[in-house]
Amino acid sequence: MLAIIGGTGMAQLECLEISHQKVVTTPYGEPSGPLTFGKIRNNTVVFLARHGYGHTIPPHEVNYRANLWALQSVNLTRVIAVASVGGIRADLAPGTVVIPDQIIDYTYGRKYTYYDGKDRSVTYIDFTEPYCPLTRKRLLEAAGRAGEKVLDGGVYGATQGPRLETAAEVNRLERDGVDMVGMTGMPEAALAKELGLCYATLAVVANYAAGRKSSAHLIRLDEAHGVLEKTMVRVRNILEWVVTLDAD
């Protein structure tokens, strides 16, 4: 079964024929909301809104541990996270869809691991490949079948939020090799890896990152939301094909 974590611009999955919702309790507190079960093209899918169904949870307060724990408790095969990002690399214009293959973590103070209790031994996970290669491959194949252009690969820089970055901070990110910047990529990816979930991200470029396009360009949030609304139609098309391919 496929799980989809929706981010900004995707508080619901319009192509999902909802059957029921399930409230899941976890050892790590409450998830962002109930799990929503339904079918896409007659295949069962579970959906979770990362920021809550009213978009009330900021990035730094998302209970990532509870979210991933709740999803793995219902016997999933793969998790696809949809996330909005700011484009740093020149070809990442608003409306671009990217499937990143690497991540750099700039967040702090978040609950990063399931292995932090005194009753648990220290556990190290190999995070060389933060995203599942098989799920990334499936996303690329689905995009091809759907006729939707996506960019293969890129470095996601996860920042703390909820404020956007300064132009100087984006310059630093670029020097570090970051191609796109968002606020929810970590610790979500690492926690999925700890749980053995096949996790990958569909990143939607909502706007140019601070200082890009023009040094005087200010980020217009209304424009970014408009871009997300239009691009999510393409994202849903890709997701429908992922479900179809998984069923084959």
Side-chain angles (χ1 to χ4, degrees):
M1 182 168 59
L2 171 70
I4 299 168
I5 302 175
T8 301
M10 199 178 192
Q12 59 184 358
L13 194 57
E14 293 180 3
C15 53
L16 181 67
E17 298 176 8
I18 298 173
S19 60
H20 66 283
Q21 290 187 320
K22 181 179 181 180
V23 176
V24 179
T25 58
T26 84
Y28 305 98
E30 295 184 2
S32 295
L35 304 184
T36 299
F37 290 81
K39 290 191 175 182
I40 297 177
R41 295 190 177 184
N42 208 35
N43 298 294
T44 302
V45 171
V46 58
F47 176 79
L48 176 64
R50 184 187 291 113
H51 298 284
Y53 289 92
H55 201 84
T56 56
I57 308 172
H60 65 294
E61 292 187 353
V62 172
N63 192 337
Y64 296 95
R65 292 197 300 180
N67 285 352
L68 273 299
W69 184 272
L71 289 173
Q72 67 88 33
S73 73
V74 295
N75 299 318
L76 300 168
T77 54
R78 71 174 81 244
V79 178
I80 295 174
V82 180
S84 63
V85 297
I88 298 176
R89 204 171 71 198
D91 59 336
L92 298 187
T96 305
V97 179
V98 196
I99 304 173
D101 61 347
Q102 282 295 327
I103 195 164
I104 300 178
D105 188 8
Y106 299 93
T107 65
Y108 51 88
R110 302 184 183 188
K111 299 293 185 180
Y112 288 93
T113 180
Y114 294 107
Y115 301 106
D116 61 353
K118 292 183 178 180
D119 58 336
R120 298 189 177 190
S121 60
V122 177
T123 301
Y124 302 96
I125 61 168
D126 184 345
F127 208 45
T128 304
E129 294 187 41
Y131 301 108
C132 172
L134 294 177
T135 301
R136 290 190 70 258
K137 182 179 179 181
R138 180 53 53 88
L139 282 169
L140 289 167
E141 183 180 358
R145 295 286 190 93
E148 300 290 357
K149 181 182 178 181
V150 299
L151 296 186
D152 179 9
V155 179
Y156 180 118
T159 58
Q160 182 70 357
R163 68 165 178 83
L164 300 178
E165 300 73 34
T166 67
E169 288 170 332
V170 172
N171 289 340
R172 183 190 68 165
L173 295 174
E174 186 175 42
R175 290 194 295 271
D176 287 349
V178 173
D179 299 308
M180 67 203 85
V181 57
M183 302 175 188
T184 58
M186 286 291 288
E188 193 172 88
L191 293 168
K193 179 77 76 171
E194 286 189 353
L195 292 175
L197 295 171
C198 295
Y199 172 99
T201 291
L202 264 178
V204 179
V205 181
N207 53 268
Y208 290 104
R212 294 302 172 265
K213 183 68 173 176
S214 165
S215 60
H217 180 74
L218 297 179
I219 296 172
R220 292 277 304 274
L221 294 181
D222 57 340
E223 292 180 0
H225 287 307
V227 170
L228 284 175
E229 185 175 344
K230 292 179 180 178
T231 311
M232 285 304 169
V233 176
R234 297 172 51 208
V235 168
R236 288 192 289 270
N237 194 18
I238 294 170
L239 292 174
E240 287 186 28
W241 272 100
V242 170
V243 174
T244 302
L245 292 171
D246 277 354
D248 291 344

